[in-house]
C-alpha cells in the first residue's frame, strides 16, 4: 500500500471544499479495501433511512430495470459489502464495484470504467447531509449507479464511456464528455410503455429530484441527441433545468460506438455551449418547461 497525498489533479475538483476521503492509504489504482468493519450502527441506520425513502419513490418514478435490479441486490438492511455485491454483478454483466476514498482524477476514473470496475466511495454522508451532499457517498454510488450496471446494454455503454476518456483528455474536452455523463448517467430519463421514467443515479438517489425530473412542469424534457447533450451546460448545485429522454439504452450505446468523438469535440469547441434551460431549433421537445 503506497502512501500518497491527495492528488493535485483533484484540487480543482467539483468539490471545491476539498475532499473528504482519506487518500493516504490507497493501492496503486486508487482503490482501498472497503472498511466494512468501520461502519457504525448509525451509519447502517442512515443507509436504511435513505434506502426506505427512495424505494417509496422508485416504484412510481424509476425505469423498470432499476426497480428489478435494486430488488435483486437485496441491500435494504445495511451498507452493502462491495465484494459480495460484485460477485452478483460479475455474473450479470462482468462489472465489479471497487471501494475508493472519493472523487478520482479523470484518467483514473476513466480507466476503472474501461475495465468494468465501478469506483464507489466507501463512506456514508452525515445525517445533516440527508438531502444534499457535494461529493458522491456510498449511497449515491451503490444505490444510484449499481442497479443500472445489471443492464447489459447500459453496462456496455459505461465501459465505452471509460474507453473514450483518453481521447477526451487528448482533445482537452473532458468537460464536454462530462456533460454526457452528467445528463445521461447521472440525470437520464427513458421512455417506457408507462411514460417517461428516471434511470439516472443523481435523481434516483435524491429525494426531491426523483419526482421533479419525471413529472414537475418546471424543467424541459427533450429527446436525446448526442451532440445536443454535449453542447449543453449543466447545474451542479440545483435541480436540472433540462432532462434528456432516451428511447432505450441501445440508442445511447449505438450513438457512442458510431461516433468519431475527435471531430465532434472540435466542432463543439467552436460553438458557445447552450444554457442549461435552453430550448433550441431541432430539439424534439417532449415537455417545454414552465420555467423555460
Ligand atoms: N470519481 N469516484 C469518482 N466518481 C465519479 O463519478 C467521478 C470521479 N472522477 C471524475 C468524474 N466522476 C467526472 O468528472 C468524469 O466523468 C469526467
Ligand atoms: Fe454519480
Amino acid at each position: 500500500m503506497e502512501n500518497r497525498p491527495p492528488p493535485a489533479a483533484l484540487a480543482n475538483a467539483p468539490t471545491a471544499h476539498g475532499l473528504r476521503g482519506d487518500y493516504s492509504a490507497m493501492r496503486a489504482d486508487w482503490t482501498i479495501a472497503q472498511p466494512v468493519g468501520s461502519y457504525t450502527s448509525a451509519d447502517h441506520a442512515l443507509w436504511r433511512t435513505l434506502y426506505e425513502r427512495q424505494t417509496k419513490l422508485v416504484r412510481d418514478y424509476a425505469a423498470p430495470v432499476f426497480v428489478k435490479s435494486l430488488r435483486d441486490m437485496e441491500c435494504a438492511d445495511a451498507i452493502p459489502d462491495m465484494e459480495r455485491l460484485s460477485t452478483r454483478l460479475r455474473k450479470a454483466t462482468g462489472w465489479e464495484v471497487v471501494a475508493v476514498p472519493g472523487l478520482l482524477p479523470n484518467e483514473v476514473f476513466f480507466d476503472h470504467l474501461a475495465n468494468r470496475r465501478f469506483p464507489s466511495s466507501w463512506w456514508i454522508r452525515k445525517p445533516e447531509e440527508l438531502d444534499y451532499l457535494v461529493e458522491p457517498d456510498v449511497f449515491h454510488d451503490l444505490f444510484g449507479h449499481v442497479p443500472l450496471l445489471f443492464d447489459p446494454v447500459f453496462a456496455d455503454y459505461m465501459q465505452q464511456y471509460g474507453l473514450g476518456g483518453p481521447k477526451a483528455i487528448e482533445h482537452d474536452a473532458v468537460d464536454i464528455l462530462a456533460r454526457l455523463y452528467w445528463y445521461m448517467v447521472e440525470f437520464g430519463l427513458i421512455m417506457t410503455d408507462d411514460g417517461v421514467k428516471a434511470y439516472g443515479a443523481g435523481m434516483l438517489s435524491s429525494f426531491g429530484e426523483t419526482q421533479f425530473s419525471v413529472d414537475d412542469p418546471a424543467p424541459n424534457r427533450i429527446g436525446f441527441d448526442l451532440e445536443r447533450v454535449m453542447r449543453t451546460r449543466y447545474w451542479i448545485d440545483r435541480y436540472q433545468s433540462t432532462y434528456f429522454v432516451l428511447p432505450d439504452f441501445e440508442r445511447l450505446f449505438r450513438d457512442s460506438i458510431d461516433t468519431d468523438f475527435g471531430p465532434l469535440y472540435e466542432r463543439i469547441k467552436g460553438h458557445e455551449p447552450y444554457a442549461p434551460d435552453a430550448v433550441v431549433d431541432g430539439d424534439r421537445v417532449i415537455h417545454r418547461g414552465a420555467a423555460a
Side-chain angles (χ1 to χ4, degrees):
M1 293 276 234
E2 270 175 72
N3 284 347
R4 303 165 69 143
L10 285 173
N12 59 351
T15 59
H17 71 293
L19 294 151
R20 275 169 88 144
D22 172 2
Y23 287 78
S24 61
M26 305 183 295
R27 302 185 186 105
D29 64 359
W30 292 65
T31 61
I32 58 171
Q34 181 188 7
V36 283
S38 75
Y39 295 128
T40 64
S41 52
D43 291 332
H44 289 302
L46 187 60
W47 171 277
R48 284 194 294 280
T49 302
L50 288 161
Y51 188 97
E52 282 147 23
R53 233 176 42 159
Q54 289 309 111
T55 39
K56 287 195 186 74
L57 300 167
V58 155
R59 262 192 300 279
D60 299 331
Y61 294 108
V65 64
F66 183 94
V67 181
K68 181 184 178 320
S69 302
L70 186 67
R71 197 171 47 237
D72 296 347
M73 283 164 63
E74 294 182 309
C75 61
D77 302 337
I79 297 171
D81 176 312
M82 293 181 201
E83 286 189 2
R84 284 230 303 273
L85 193 50
S86 295
T87 305
R88 289 188 183 186
L89 185 56
R90 258 185 228 100
K91 290 196 188 95
T93 57
W95 275 80
E96 57 187 298
V97 184
V98 290
V100 293
L103 282 178
L104 302 177
N106 288 331
E107 64 280 3
V108 175
F109 181 65
F110 293 139
D111 185 61
H112 280 304
L113 298 187
N115 290 285
R116 296 202 175 222
R117 290 190 299 266
F118 188 80
S120 169
S121 298
W122 64 271
W123 47 268
I124 193 162
R125 65 191 75 181
K126 296 282 166 273
E128 59 274 18
E129 297 174 297
L130 208 61
D131 284 320
Y132 185 76
L133 78 163
V134 188
E135 197 175 335
D137 73 337
V138 69
F139 184 77
H140 169 87
D141 282 328
L142 297 190
F143 183 96
H145 283 284
V146 173
L148 261 284
L149 292 174
F150 281 86
D151 176 278
V153 179
F154 196 81
D156 286 350
Y157 169 70
M158 286 291 280
Q159 180 177 35
Q160 281 309 314
Y161 179 87
L163 289 165
K167 180 172 269 191
I169 293 172
E170 184 194 313
H171 283 265
D172 191 20
V174 172
D175 55 331
I176 294 174
L177 180 61
R179 293 173 185 157
L180 196 52
Y181 191 89
W182 192 268
Y183 278 116
M184 304 322 292
V185 177
E186 296 291 1
F187 293 100
L189 296 175
I190 189 164
M191 192 55 83
T192 75
D193 300 342
D194 192 18
V196 168
K197 296 290 180 188
Y199 71 85
M203 72 261 266
L204 286 174
S205 55
S206 153
F207 186 60
E209 196 157 3
T210 296
Q211 174 273 323
F212 177 85
S213 65
V214 171
D215 66 15
D216 195 288
N220 302 316
R221 293 178 188 89
I222 294 174
F224 171 77
D225 173 89
L226 187 75
E227 185 160 349
R228 168 67 161 94
V229 170
M230 292 171 73
R231 269 190 73 174
T232 307
R233 281 190 300 101
Y234 54 82
W235 302 120
I236 63 165
D237 56 358
R238 74 187 83 167
Y239 293 176
Q240 301 308 312
S241 301
T242 297
Y243 298 93
F244 292 96
V245 185
L246 283 175
D248 51 36
F249 294 130
E250 189 66 30
R251 170 72 186 279
L252 182 60
F253 176 69
R254 275 270 129 253
D255 285 10
S256 296
I257 288 276
D258 296 344
T259 299
D260 181 354
F261 278 77
L264 178 59
Y265 290 136
E266 294 316 316
R267 189 161 63 244
I268 291 173
K269 284 163 81 170
H271 296 287
E272 269 303 297
Y274 295 128
D277 60 356
V279 177
V280 303
D281 287 350
D283 277 350
R284 195 161 45 79
V285 179
I286 293 164
H287 169 81
R288 181 183 289 270

